[in-house]
Amino acid sequence: MSSVRPFTAFVRRLAPLALVVAALASGVLFAQYQKAPPDFGGSYSFPTPTHPEPKQTWIHALDVVMLVAAMSVGAWLVLKRRTRNGVLALSVFSIAYFGFFRQGCICPIGAIQNVTASLVDPRYTISLGVIAFFFLPLVFALLFGRVFCGGVCALGAVQDLVLVRPVTVPEKLDRVLRWGPYLYLAVAVLFAGWGLHFTLGGWQINMGRRFLICEWDPFISLFRISGAFHMLVIGGVFIVGGMFVGRPYCRWLCPYGGLLALASRVAWKNVSITPDRETDCGLCAGACPFGAIEQLRAHRGRCVSCTRCYESCPFEIERRGGPSAEVQFARLVKQ
């Protein structure tokens, strides 16, 4: 009975969001990949991609299988094994496969634009693979929290691995910057679907449809080992900044991260620091570089499932065969 009630409560929380997702999915579910992109009009011409979507169906299928497998392993590592080392190993794999091998092409973040264009313009259709890339991480977020962010997203993994000396961002500044993903999402959807056309002081502003997320992806040049100089500089700034600020792109810019944060708020299962007992030591909050732990509980939307809190928790260390929690607390008191 105790296992049924939490699931029932989860279904009740999920129902309104599920209706929205179903309405969005219905417009693109049966679309097919359009090999000749439509004329976007205006001053914008659709770019010829350096690394176009593969034509072989089996590669699409492999990509989807790899994405599902990686997120499944991630959910197991975060929620069951509760291991930071496992998430790190998954991050290295994701950078190698989704990043360098597939050169950033398996990208739910960029898929936002494809889905938007297919909904707005009936001439623009996309493959089932791109639809899967867009919806599958959202489904996993509804079930298990942001496990895609934890160790599967190559962009997030790169930032996570370079973080060596995190600093605390002032709460007021962080609260303002957290609106960034939603503002970026709105701008990206606007340009992918319609472009920007208005009159200002007698001047005609006419900007055609563009895929801004792909154009300004700060890490795609790293994965493809090529790119415009200004994008290499922007990527370098994010990597250097990421050495001291936890995942700056993920926290304050990533539009897909904003969607995952909303889905994660109603997740069936999510990160819990000490599910069977609570302590007021505050070690977990100090170990989180993202400010995602409030009142000694993981904030469902902001937690990216990095599992750093597990590494600092005396009860988790004891569970893995380390010194007892009492011994660890005694050592901390002496220090």
Side-chain angles (χ1 to χ4, degrees):
M1 191 69 174
S2 59
S3 62
V4 174
R5 288 177 179 174
F7 183 77
T8 303
F10 161 71
V11 172
R12 289 176 179 174
R13 294 198 308 268
L14 174 62
L17 186 59
L19 291 175
V20 176
V21 173
L24 178 62
S26 62
V28 297
L29 184 59
F30 298 104
Q32 297 177 350
Y33 182 66
Q34 178 172 297
K35 296 180 174 59
D39 180 10
F40 278 178
S43 60
Y44 179 71
S45 59
F46 197 91
T48 301
T50 305
H51 302 278
E53 190 176 4
K55 296 181 180 180
Q56 296 90 336
T57 303
W58 70 269
I59 295 182
H60 282 296
L62 177 62
D63 288 342
V64 173
V65 169
M66 295 295 285
L67 180 62
V68 172
M71 290 191 295
S72 299
V73 171
W76 177 72
L77 291 172
V78 171
L79 301 178
K80 185 67 176 178
R81 292 289 298 166
R82 300 169 69 87
T83 167
R84 171 67 180 163
N85 289 336
V87 172
L88 286 175
L90 179 61
S91 298
V92 172
F93 166 80
S94 298
I95 292 173
Y97 182 81
F98 299 120
F100 288 103
F101 179 68
R102 291 296 284 112
Q103 300 181 318
C105 290
I106 304 176
C107 185
I109 306 170
I112 293 172
Q113 303 158 127
N114 301 94
V115 171
T116 299
S118 68
L119 289 172
V120 172
D121 190 341
R123 300 170 300 168
Y124 185 87
T125 55
I126 54 179
S127 70
L128 292 176
V130 173
I131 297 172
F133 300 155
F134 177 78
F135 283 106
L136 284 174
L138 289 172
V139 172
F140 269 77
L142 289 171
L143 294 174
F144 308 117
R146 295 176 64 173
V147 293
F148 173 76
C149 300
V152 182
C153 177
L155 277 66
V158 166
Q159 297 171 83
D160 205 49
L161 292 183
V162 301
L163 181 61
V164 293
R165 192 178 294 275
V167 299
T168 301
V169 178
E171 174 61 26
K172 291 183 179 180
L173 176 61
D174 183 54
R175 191 180 303 119
V176 172
L177 293 176
R178 283 202 299 267
W179 286 98
Y182 303 104
L183 294 175
Y184 193 11
L185 175 63
V187 172
V189 168
L190 173 65
F191 273 89
W194 298 274
L196 192 60
H197 312 276
F198 64 94
T199 302
L200 181 62
W203 292 87
Q204 293 287 335
I205 308 298
N206 186 6
M207 302 178 69
R209 295 166 64 179
R210 306 177 65 170
F211 281 12
L212 294 181
I213 297 174
C214 295
E215 290 182 33
W216 295 97
D217 186 325
F219 302 107
I220 200 69
S221 297
L222 169 66
F223 296 141
R224 297 180 180 178
I225 318 179
S226 65
F229 177 75
H230 69 279
M231 291 309 303
L232 293 171
V233 171
I234 292 174
V237 169
F238 270 104
I239 289 177
V240 173
M243 297 173 65
F244 308 101
V245 178
R247 298 196 186 200
Y249 181 82
C250 299
R251 293 165 68 183
W252 301 320
L253 272 179
C254 180
Y256 197 74
L259 296 177
L260 292 175
L262 295 177
S264 182
R265 287 176 177 269
V266 295
W268 178 37
K269 301 287 185 181
N270 215 323
V271 171
S272 57
I273 304 165
T274 50
D276 55 342
R277 46 189 153 178
E278 288 291 343
T279 177
D280 60 355
C281 66
L283 293 174
C284 54
C288 178
F290 314 115
I293 298 179
E294 297 176 345
Q295 299 178 349
L296 303 183
R297 294 182 182 274
H299 189 283
R300 281 176 167 258
R302 276 179 281 166
C303 176
V304 295
S305 301
C306 74
T307 64
R308 282 184 173 85
C309 55
Y310 296 161
E311 294 298 303
S312 66
C313 178
F315 295 111
E316 285 296 321
I317 295 173
E318 177 183 355
R319 184 182 65 84
R320 293 194 297 268
S324 67
E326 289 76 11
V327 170
Q328 296 177 65
F329 285 129
R331 291 175 180 173
L332 289 174
V333 171
K334 291 181 180 180
Q335 295 175 359

